[in-house]
Amino acid sequence: AIRDWKYLTTNARIETVAQTATYKEAFRHRRCLVPASAFYEWTGEKGHKTKWSFSHADGEWFCFAGLWDEAATADGALESFSFLTTEAGPDVAPYHDRQPVILERKQYAGWLDKSLPLEAIARPPRGLLNAVKA
């Protein structure tokens, strides 16, 4: 059953996505946008963690750079997606060492048609995100 299937990948490192066997075909052929209004990170020791919500500074929704794929299982095809991650920018670094790649609206088409170079999305700008204790 699909519920017994353990293969799970949610994060693809931008530094290796073009070469890693798990992601290189999806990177070449199956890019996607993952819309969101926030994402979460946790800080602190196990049992005493603080949950932080990160949202766009202008309050608008945004899209993560993603990759999608399809796997054949005994129950049929299973579609899934992964987020691209990068080193944390100045807004996230106090909470975590990595973060999802957030695309600017003007970058959406370039990400999907593969004309946007990875260097253009590898470094998150300062002041893009607000962190609030959730």
Side-chain angles (χ1 to χ4, degrees), residues 57-81:
D58 66 9
E60 294 291 320
W61 61 273
F62 52 89
C63 285
F64 299 121
L67 304 173
W68 69 272
D69 211 340
E70 184 176 84
T73 72
D75 294 326
L78 177 66
E79 293 181 339
S80 63
F81 69 91

Side-chain angles (χ1 to χ4, degrees), residues 47-63:
H48 302 293
K49 292 201 176 274
T50 300
K51 182 178 178 183
W52 297 92
S53 173
F54 291 86
S55 58
H56 207 282
D58 66 9
E60 294 291 320
W61 61 273
F62 52 89
C63 285

